[in-house]
Amino acid sequence: HTARLNGWVRHHCFHLPSFRFDITDARDFLSYNVTAKENPDWYGTIYGNGGASVSGEPGTVNINVAMSTAPRSTFTFGLFFPDFPRRHSRFATNGEACL
């Protein structure tokens, strides 16, 4: 359950802020932990191996992940539930992009 985190936050006199955080050497790292009670649509416990980065500036956040799931990971995605169309108003169909 380990990983390394390196990063920085920069600004010019508290203006023009930017940031970057890199997660490296993740081994069996708890990456997602949500119960069905917290979110009945998608829930589970996911452990990951690999790395990720989060960078950006106001209005833009870039997230890059290069991880694989580790043993003991479980995840449930409930696609067929009664109020799905109401809660998720538009899907990609026939090659369309989601809005």
Side-chain angles (χ1 to χ4, degrees):
H1 307 298
T2 61
R4 294 177 186 261
L5 175 66
N6 291 303
W8 51 263
V9 176
R10 294 186 180 136
H11 61 85
H12 179 71
C13 299
F14 295 101
H15 295 282
L16 305 172
S18 60
F19 64 90
R20 181 178 179 99
F21 296 97
D22 296 306
I23 297 170
T24 59
D25 302 321
R27 303 274 186 271
D28 201 27
F29 184 73
L30 180 59
S31 304
Y32 186 82
N33 191 24
V34 175
T35 67
K37 185 177 181 180
E38 293 170 315
N39 186 339
D41 298 342
W42 42 74
Y43 56 91
T45 302
I46 301 174
Y47 298 92
N49 296 322
S53 68
V54 180
S55 62
E57 55 193 37
T60 303
V61 176
N62 303 301
I63 301 172
N64 294 298
V65 179
M67 294 184 99
S68 60
T69 54
R72 299 180 303 129
S73 295
T74 61
F75 184 75
T76 300
F77 176 69
L79 184 57
F80 302 103
F81 39 87
D83 60 349
F84 192 85
R86 179 182 58 78
R87 295 188 315 159
H88 303 278
S89 61
R90 182 154 161 42
F91 283 98
T93 56
N94 299 323
E96 296 176 330
C98 293
L99 296 178

